Amino acid sequence: MPAFPASPASLNVIALIGAESTGKTVLAQALAERLARETGLSVAWVPEVLREWCEREGRTPRAEEQLGIAQAQQRRLERAAAEHDLVVADTTPLMTAVYSELLFDDRSLHAMALDFQRRCAATLLTALDLPWVADGHQRDGPQVRAPVDRLVRGLLLAHGLSWSVVRGEGEARVDCAVDALSPWLRTLPTPRAGLFTRLREREAAQPAWRWACEDCDDPQCEHALRASAGRGAP
């Protein structure tokens, strides 16, 4: 059983969501490995059901097949959460719902997908800063990444769900994910403290933060631009 079992209303799931070819699978595996190694917790990563479906069927799903894929993804994540301390999800039903809207103008999966997303402990959105790479039947092309990203952000915003953007390449992307998760991770009972020791050491090494806006004369500064707009500058 998990060291801190989830209640029926919440899951110990770190949800990775984002457009195609933004490194979700690689990040999910690397993040799960690091968290397991440095916290001593039982950590699982759960792969994407859609990928397996496309490889098995040799095509992408039709509109009426989307619900079954979303439900299978949810069941797989719930089982893993019941058996592990932490679960890193390669994706969640939210991405199936987004693609159903984008490809089929079908919003019927929104409610179930958002309900599941609310139960996740944390949501990480992968940035569009990696090059697009073809991947068989599953990927539509680089032109869909920005529309998918907009739909994901729009759904999260409209329903009051918080998220953190993860960017960078390789280990820097994993570091970014750990940084985003660290406030929540620090609240968990962990057999090891290596991860948190390194986080504290890195924070201590950062230069002291200083409020600089009073001395700023950068014409492109956001604060300066807002001030100019307030004075009616052209």
Side-chain angles (χ1 to χ4, degrees), residues 1-220:
M1 290 295 293
F4 43 97
S7 71
S10 63
L11 295 170
N12 48 336
V13 171
I14 299 166
L16 270 60
I17 58 175
E20 65 182 48
S21 195
T22 54
K24 294 188 295 296
T25 300
V26 172
L27 176 59
Q29 292 176 279
L31 180 60
E33 290 172 2
R34 181 182 293 189
L35 292 177
R37 182 177 64 249
E38 298 191 358
T39 67
L41 296 171
S42 167
V43 185
W45 81 275
V46 174
E48 184 179 21
V49 170
L50 175 62
R51 177 182 298 275
E52 298 171 4
W53 194 99
C54 291
E55 290 174 353
R56 184 180 68 248
E57 301 295 328
R59 61 177 176 85
T60 56
R62 295 184 288 268
E64 66 273 14
E65 295 167 321
Q66 296 283 88
L67 175 59
I69 291 170
Q71 291 172 330
Q73 188 74 54
Q74 177 168 328
R75 287 193 299 269
R76 183 176 291 188
L77 289 167
E78 289 172 338
R79 284 196 301 268
E83 297 168 357
H84 297 83
D85 295 324
L86 288 177
V87 173
V88 182
D90 187 346
T91 193
T92 70
L94 186 71
M95 294 312 304
T96 308
V98 164
Y99 277 99
S100 289
E101 178 178 357
L102 180 73
L103 300 176
F104 306 114
D105 195 28
D106 179 8
R107 297 169 179 79
S108 64
L109 302 186
H110 283 189
M112 67 86 64
L114 288 163
D115 179 67
F116 180 84
Q117 201 69 34
R118 288 188 191 94
R119 298 169 61 201
C120 294
T123 297
L124 302 178
L125 175 64
T126 47
L128 306 181
D129 57 343
L130 299 180
W132 184 85
V133 178
D135 187 16
H137 295 283
Q138 193 175 7
R139 293 183 178 169
D140 296 299
Q143 74 280 357
V144 306
R145 296 207 301 178
V148 167
D149 188 72
R150 284 194 296 271
L151 284 174
V152 171
R153 291 170 185 257
L155 273 174
L156 294 173
L157 278 170
H159 295 272
L161 298 175
S162 61
W163 76 93
S164 297
V165 176
V166 177
R167 53 176 51 87
E169 296 187 18
E171 285 300 305
R173 209 171 185 83
V174 183
D175 288 340
C176 185
V178 171
D179 287 346
L181 295 169
S182 61
W184 172 65
L185 290 172
R186 290 174 196 262
T187 68
L188 306 181
T190 59
R192 300 183 197 138
L195 174 65
F196 310 114
T197 299
R198 276 184 279 281
L199 285 171
R200 285 193 296 271
E201 289 173 350
R202 189 169 63 186
E203 289 166 0
Q206 296 298 317
W209 184 81
R210 184 175 68 89
W211 180 262
C213 285
E214 292 178 0
D215 305 318
C216 177
D217 60 357
D218 182 354
Q220 298 304 313

